[in-house]
Every structure is written in structure tokens, then in C-alpha cells.
């Protein structure tokens, strides 16, 4: 049977070490437990952390901008690929009036309905 670690705390500002908790769990005398004081980090450490947080925010904003640029480039490439597919398809070889009428009908039906009807035939 494994013992789960138990952590005890004493008055504010003190904390028992995990080894002390194991000793207490085994029935050691609580009067002999050595507590260690927990203190706040120094002000210089807090200021250094604040600076690193600002640097992290700037890095994230830079990555976000780079990602937005990549997404815009991808949309442009997809649009160019769509145009190239259109040119190679029968629609690219058809007269403009027929292509215009086809897209008007497609707009009325909706893309899902047109796909369903085309796949059924």
C-alpha cells in the first residue's frame, strides 16, 4: 500500500518540506518538525520577469502578424489555382455568355444543391 504525500502548513509565512510531511504521516513528533520561511521574490526578479513578459507579448504579436501574412498569401495562391483550374475546365473554353448563365444558375441553386445534382447525374 503506497502512501500519498501529505503537505502540512503552519502559521502564515511558514511551510513544511515534503520530507517533514512524510515524517508526520508516519507518526513522528510534530514538535520536532523544522519549518522553513517562505519569502516573496526580490523586486529585481519581479521587474526582470515583467520585462520578459513584455518581450514575450511582442514576440507573439510578431508571430501573429507573420501568420496573417502567410494566410493572405495562401488565399492568393488558392485563388490563382482556382482561376487556372477554370481555364483548363470546359467552362474556360465555353463562350462568356454561357459561363455567365452557368454561374447565375449556380448562384440560384447554391453550391451544395448544384454539387448534389451534378453528382447524381
Amino acid at each position: 500500500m503506497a502512501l500519498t504525500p501529505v503537505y502540512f502548513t503552519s502559521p502564515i509565512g511558514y511551510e513544511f518540506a515534503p520530507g517533514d510531511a512524510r515524517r508526520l504521516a508516519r507518526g513522528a513528533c510534530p514538535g520536532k518538525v523544522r519549518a522553513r520561511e517562505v519569502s516573496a521574490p526580490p523586486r529585481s526578479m519581479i521587474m526582470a520577469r515583467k520585462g520578459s513578459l513584455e518581450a514575450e507579448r511582442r514576440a507573439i504579436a510578431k508571430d501573429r502578424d507573420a501568420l496573417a501574412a502567410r494566410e493572405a498569401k495562401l488565399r492568393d495562391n488558392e485563388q490563382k489555382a482556382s482561376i487556372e483550374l477554370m481555364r483548363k475546365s470546359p467552362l474556360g473554353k465555353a463562350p462568356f455568355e454561357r459561363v455567365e448563365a452557368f454561374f447565375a444558375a449556380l448562384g440560384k441553386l447554391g453550391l451544395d444543391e448544384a454539387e448534389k445534382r451534378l453528382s447524381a447525374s
Side-chain angles (χ1 to χ4, degrees):
M1 181 165 104
L3 293 175
T4 57
V6 179
Y7 297 97
F8 298 93
T9 57
S10 68
I12 297 174
Y14 291 92
E15 177 182 276
F16 291 105
D20 296 336
R22 278 189 232 112
R23 284 185 34 239
L24 284 173
R26 288 189 209 129
C29 179
K32 293 186 179 182
V33 173
R34 289 162 287 158
R36 55 188 162 91
E37 188 172 341
V38 178
S39 62
R43 182 169 172 77
S44 61
M45 183 183 283
I46 293 171
M47 295 305 288
R49 192 178 313 141
K50 183 178 179 183
S52 65
L53 291 175
E54 290 299 319
E56 184 68 16
R57 283 189 188 101
R58 286 192 301 272
I60 289 171
K62 184 179 175 182
D63 291 345
R64 189 178 302 127
D65 293 342
L67 181 60
R70 284 180 57 197
E71 288 176 338
K73 185 176 179 181
L74 175 63
R75 282 191 300 273
D76 289 344
N77 288 340
E78 286 174 340
Q79 188 175 19
K80 288 175 185 175
S82 296
I83 291 169
E84 189 61 32
L85 282 174
M86 183 74 71
R87 285 187 183 136
K88 292 180 180 180
S89 74
L91 287 174
K93 297 174 179 100
F96 178 74
E97 293 78 22
R98 288 190 65 191
V99 173
E100 189 176 34
F102 174 78
F103 280 114
L106 182 65
K108 289 178 185 174
L109 284 176
L111 186 59
D112 293 333
E113 181 65 25
E115 282 180 343
K116 187 168 69 172
R117 289 186 185 187
L118 287 171
S119 64
S121 60

Coordinates of all heavy atoms in Angstrom, one line a residue, residues 49-96:
R49 N 11.1 39.7 -14.7 CA 10.0 38.9 -15.2 C 9.1 39.7 -16.0 O 8.6 39.3 -17.0 CB 9.3 38.2 -14.0 CG 8.4 37.1 -14.5 CD 7.7 36.4 -13.3 NE 8.6 36.0 -12.3 CZ 8.3 36.0 -11.0 NH1 7.1 36.5 -10.6 NH2 9.1 35.6 -10.1
K50 N 8.8 40.9 -15.5 CA 7.9 41.8 -16.2 C 8.4 42.2 -17.6 O 7.7 42.2 -18.6 CB 7.6 43.1 -15.4 CG 6.7 44.1 -16.1 CD 6.5 45.3 -15.2 CE 5.5 46.2 -15.9 NZ 5.3 47.4 -15.1
G51 N 9.8 42.4 -17.7 CA 10.4 42.7 -18.9 C 10.3 41.5 -19.9 O 10.1 41.7 -21.1
S52 N 10.5 40.3 -19.3 CA 10.4 39.1 -20.2 C 9.0 38.9 -20.7 O 8.8 38.4 -21.8 CB 11.0 37.9 -19.5 OG 10.1 37.6 -18.4
L53 N 8.0 39.3 -19.9 CA 6.6 39.1 -20.3 C 6.3 40.1 -21.4 O 5.6 39.7 -22.4 CB 5.7 39.4 -19.1 CG 5.7 38.4 -18.0 CD1 4.8 38.8 -16.9 CD2 5.2 37.0 -18.5
E54 N 6.8 41.3 -21.4 CA 6.6 42.2 -22.5 C 7.3 41.7 -23.7 O 6.8 41.8 -24.8 CB 7.2 43.6 -22.1 CG 6.4 44.3 -21.0 CD 5.0 44.6 -21.4 OE1 4.7 44.9 -22.6 OE2 4.1 44.4 -20.6
A55 N 8.5 41.2 -23.6 CA 9.2 40.6 -24.8 C 8.4 39.5 -25.3 O 8.3 39.3 -26.6 CB 10.6 40.1 -24.4
E56 N 7.8 38.6 -24.5 CA 7.0 37.5 -25.0 C 5.8 38.0 -25.7 O 5.4 37.5 -26.7 CB 6.6 36.6 -23.8 CG 5.8 35.4 -24.2 CD 6.7 34.4 -24.9 OE1 7.9 34.5 -24.9 OE2 6.1 33.5 -25.5
R57 N 5.1 39.1 -25.2 CA 4.0 39.7 -25.9 C 4.4 40.2 -27.2 O 3.6 40.0 -28.2 CB 3.4 40.8 -25.0 CG 2.6 40.3 -23.9 CD 1.8 41.5 -23.2 NE 1.2 41.0 -22.0 CZ 1.7 41.2 -20.7 NH1 2.8 41.9 -20.6 NH2 1.1 40.8 -19.7
R58 N 5.5 40.9 -27.3 CA 6.0 41.4 -28.6 C 6.2 40.3 -29.6 O 5.9 40.3 -30.8 CB 7.2 42.3 -28.4 CG 7.0 43.6 -27.8 CD 8.2 44.5 -27.9 NE 9.3 44.0 -27.3 CZ 9.6 44.2 -26.0 NH1 8.8 44.9 -25.2 NH2 10.7 43.6 -25.5
A59 N 6.9 39.2 -29.1 CA 7.2 38.0 -30.0 C 5.9 37.4 -30.5 O 5.8 37.0 -31.6 CB 8.0 37.0 -29.2
I60 N 4.9 37.3 -29.6 CA 3.6 36.7 -30.0 C 2.9 37.6 -31.1 O 2.4 37.1 -32.0 CB 2.7 36.5 -28.8 CG1 3.2 35.3 -27.9 CG2 1.2 36.2 -29.2 CD1 2.5 35.2 -26.6
A61 N 2.9 38.9 -30.9 CA 2.3 39.8 -31.8 C 3.1 39.7 -33.2 O 2.4 39.7 -34.2 CB 2.4 41.2 -31.3
K62 N 4.4 39.6 -33.2 CA 5.1 39.4 -34.4 C 4.8 38.1 -35.1 O 4.6 38.1 -36.3 CB 6.6 39.4 -34.1 CG 7.5 39.4 -35.3 CD 9.0 39.4 -34.8 CE 9.9 39.2 -36.0 NZ 11.3 39.2 -35.6
D63 N 4.6 37.0 -34.3 CA 4.2 35.7 -34.9 C 2.8 35.8 -35.5 O 2.5 35.2 -36.5 CB 4.3 34.6 -33.8 CG 5.7 34.3 -33.4 OD1 6.6 34.7 -34.2 OD2 5.9 33.6 -32.4
R64 N 1.9 36.5 -34.8 CA 0.6 36.7 -35.3 C 0.5 37.4 -36.6 O -0.2 37.1 -37.5 CB -0.3 37.4 -34.2 CG -1.7 37.4 -34.5 CD -2.5 38.1 -33.4 NE -2.3 37.5 -32.1 CZ -2.0 38.2 -31.0 NH1 -1.8 39.4 -31.0 NH2 -1.8 37.5 -29.9
D65 N 1.3 38.5 -36.7 CA 1.4 39.2 -38.0 C 2.0 38.4 -39.1 O 1.5 38.4 -40.2 CB 2.3 40.5 -37.8 CG 1.6 41.5 -36.9 OD1 0.4 41.4 -36.6 OD2 2.4 42.4 -36.4
A66 N 3.0 37.6 -38.8 CA 3.6 36.7 -39.8 C 2.6 35.6 -40.2 O 2.5 35.3 -41.4 CB 4.9 36.0 -39.2
L67 N 1.8 35.1 -39.3 CA 0.8 34.1 -39.6 C -0.3 34.7 -40.5 O -0.7 34.1 -41.5 CB 0.2 33.5 -38.4 CG -0.9 32.5 -38.6 CD1 -0.3 31.3 -39.3 CD2 -1.4 32.0 -37.2
A68 N -0.7 36.0 -40.2 CA -1.7 36.6 -41.0 C -1.2 36.8 -42.5 O -1.9 36.7 -43.4 CB -2.1 38.0 -40.4
A69 N 0.1 37.2 -42.6 CA 0.7 37.4 -43.9 C 0.7 36.0 -44.7 O 0.4 36.0 -45.9 CB 2.1 38.0 -43.8
R70 N 1.0 35.0 -44.0 CA 1.1 33.6 -44.6 C -0.3 33.2 -45.1 O -0.5 32.6 -46.1 CB 1.6 32.6 -43.6 CG 3.1 32.6 -43.5 CD 3.6 31.6 -42.5 NE 3.2 30.3 -42.9 CZ 3.3 29.2 -42.1 NH1 3.6 29.3 -40.9 NH2 2.9 28.0 -42.6
E71 N -1.4 33.5 -44.2 CA -2.7 33.2 -44.6 C -3.2 34.0 -45.8 O -3.9 33.4 -46.7 CB -3.7 33.4 -43.4 CG -3.5 32.4 -42.3 CD -4.4 32.7 -41.1 OE1 -4.8 33.8 -40.9 OE2 -4.6 31.7 -40.3
A72 N -2.8 35.2 -45.9 CA -3.2 36.1 -47.0 C -2.5 35.5 -48.3 O -3.1 35.4 -49.4 CB -2.8 37.5 -46.8
K73 N -1.3 35.1 -48.2 CA -0.5 34.6 -49.3 C -1.2 33.3 -49.8 O -1.3 33.0 -51.0 CB 0.9 34.4 -49.0 CG 1.8 33.9 -50.1 CD 3.2 33.8 -49.7 CE 4.1 33.3 -50.9 NZ 5.5 33.2 -50.5
L74 N -1.6 32.4 -48.8 CA -2.3 31.2 -49.1 C -3.6 31.4 -49.9 O -3.9 30.8 -50.9 CB -2.5 30.4 -47.9 CG -3.3 29.1 -48.0 CD1 -2.5 28.1 -48.9 CD2 -3.6 28.5 -46.7
R75 N -4.4 32.4 -49.4 CA -5.6 32.7 -50.1 C -5.4 33.2 -51.5 O -6.1 32.8 -52.4 CB -6.4 33.8 -49.3 CG -7.1 33.3 -48.1 CD -8.1 34.3 -47.5 NE -7.4 35.6 -47.1 CZ -6.9 35.7 -45.9 NH1 -6.9 34.8 -45.0 NH2 -6.3 36.9 -45.6
D76 N -4.3 34.0 -51.7 CA -4.0 34.4 -53.1 C -3.6 33.3 -54.0 O -4.0 33.2 -55.1 CB -2.8 35.5 -53.0 CG -3.3 36.8 -52.5 OD1 -4.5 37.1 -52.4 OD2 -2.4 37.6 -52.1
N77 N -2.8 32.3 -53.4 CA -2.4 31.2 -54.2 C -3.6 30.3 -54.5 O -3.7 29.7 -55.6 CB -1.3 30.4 -53.4 CG 0.0 31.1 -53.4 OD1 0.3 32.0 -54.2 ND2 0.8 30.7 -52.4
E78 N -4.5 30.1 -53.6 CA -5.7 29.3 -53.8 C -6.6 30.0 -54.9 O -7.1 29.3 -55.8 CB -6.5 29.2 -52.5 CG -6.0 28.2 -51.5 CD -6.7 28.2 -50.2 OE1 -7.5 29.2 -49.9 OE2 -6.6 27.2 -49.5
Q79 N -6.7 31.3 -54.9 CA -7.4 32.0 -55.9 C -6.8 31.8 -57.3 O -7.5 31.5 -58.3 CB -7.6 33.5 -55.6 CG -8.5 34.2 -56.5 CD -8.7 35.6 -56.0 OE1 -7.9 36.2 -55.3 NE2 -9.8 36.2 -56.5
K80 N -5.5 31.9 -57.3 CA -4.8 31.7 -58.6 C -4.9 30.3 -59.1 O -5.1 30.1 -60.3 CB -3.3 32.0 -58.4 CG -3.0 33.5 -58.3 CD -1.5 33.8 -58.0 CE -1.3 35.2 -57.7 NZ 0.1 35.5 -57.4
A81 N -4.9 29.3 -58.2 CA -5.1 27.9 -58.6 C -6.5 27.7 -59.1 O -6.7 26.9 -60.1 CB -4.8 27.0 -57.4
S82 N -7.5 28.3 -58.5 CA -8.9 28.2 -58.9 C -9.1 28.8 -60.3 O -9.8 28.2 -61.2 CB -9.8 29.0 -58.0 OG -9.8 28.4 -56.7
I83 N -8.5 29.9 -60.6 CA -8.5 30.5 -61.9 C -7.9 29.6 -62.9 O -8.4 29.4 -64.0 CB -7.9 31.9 -61.9 CG1 -8.7 32.9 -61.0 CG2 -7.7 32.5 -63.3 CD1 -8.0 34.2 -60.7
E84 N -6.8 29.0 -62.6 CA -6.1 28.1 -63.5 C -6.9 26.9 -63.8 O -7.0 26.4 -64.9 CB -4.7 27.7 -63.0 CG -3.9 26.9 -63.9 CD -3.5 27.8 -65.2 OE1 -3.4 29.0 -65.1 OE2 -3.4 27.1 -66.2
L85 N -7.6 26.3 -62.8 CA -8.5 25.2 -63.0 C -9.7 25.6 -63.9 O -10.1 24.8 -64.7 CB -9.0 24.7 -61.6 CG -8.1 23.8 -60.8 CD1 -8.7 23.5 -59.4 CD2 -7.8 22.5 -61.5
M86 N -10.2 26.8 -63.7 CA -11.3 27.3 -64.5 C -10.9 27.3 -66.0 O -11.6 27.0 -66.9 CB -11.7 28.6 -64.0 CG -12.9 29.2 -64.7 SD -14.4 28.4 -64.3 CE -14.6 29.1 -62.6
R87 N -9.6 27.8 -66.2 CA -9.2 28.0 -67.6 C -9.0 26.6 -68.3 O -9.3 26.4 -69.5 CB -7.8 28.7 -67.6 CG -7.9 30.1 -67.4 CD -6.6 30.8 -67.6 NE -6.8 32.2 -67.3 CZ -5.9 33.0 -66.6 NH1 -4.8 32.4 -66.2 NH2 -6.1 34.2 -66.4
K88 N -8.6 25.6 -67.5 CA -8.4 24.2 -68.0 C -9.7 23.4 -68.2 O -9.8 22.5 -68.9 CB -7.4 23.5 -67.2 CG -6.0 24.0 -67.2 CD -5.1 23.2 -66.3 CE -3.7 23.8 -66.4 NZ -2.8 23.0 -65.5
S89 N -10.7 23.9 -67.5 CA -12.0 23.1 -67.5 C -12.8 23.5 -68.7 O -12.5 24.4 -69.4 CB -12.8 23.5 -66.2 OG -13.4 24.8 -66.3
P90 N -13.9 22.8 -69.0 CA -14.8 23.1 -70.1 C -15.4 24.5 -70.0 O -15.6 25.2 -71.0 CB -15.9 22.1 -70.0 CG -15.3 20.9 -69.3 CD -14.3 21.5 -68.3
L91 N -15.5 25.0 -68.8 CA -16.0 26.4 -68.6 C -15.0 27.4 -69.2 O -15.4 28.5 -69.7 CB -16.3 26.7 -67.1 CG -17.5 26.0 -66.5 CD1 -17.5 26.3 -65.0 CD2 -18.8 26.5 -67.2
G92 N -13.7 27.1 -69.1 CA -12.7 28.0 -69.6 C -12.7 28.1 -71.1 O -12.3 29.1 -71.7
K93 N -13.3 27.1 -71.7 CA -13.3 27.0 -73.2 C -14.7 27.4 -73.8 O -14.8 27.6 -75.0 CB -13.0 25.6 -73.7 CG -11.6 25.2 -73.3 CD -11.3 23.8 -73.6 CE -9.9 23.4 -73.2 NZ -9.8 22.7 -71.9
A94 N -15.7 27.6 -72.9 CA -17.0 28.0 -73.3 C -17.1 29.5 -73.6 O -16.3 30.3 -73.0 CB -18.0 27.6 -72.3
P95 N -18.1 29.9 -74.4 CA -18.3 31.3 -74.6 C -18.7 32.0 -73.3 O -19.3 31.4 -72.4 CB -19.5 31.4 -75.6 CG -19.6 30.0 -76.2 CD -19.0 29.1 -75.2
F96 N -18.4 33.3 -73.2 CA -18.6 34.0 -72.0 C -20.1 34.0 -71.6 O -20.4 33.9 -70.4 CB -18.1 35.5 -72.2 CG -18.4 36.3 -71.0 CD1 -17.6 36.2 -69.8 CD2 -19.4 37.3 -71.0 CE1 -17.9 37.0 -68.7 CE2 -19.7 38.0 -69.8 CZ -18.9 37.9 -68.7

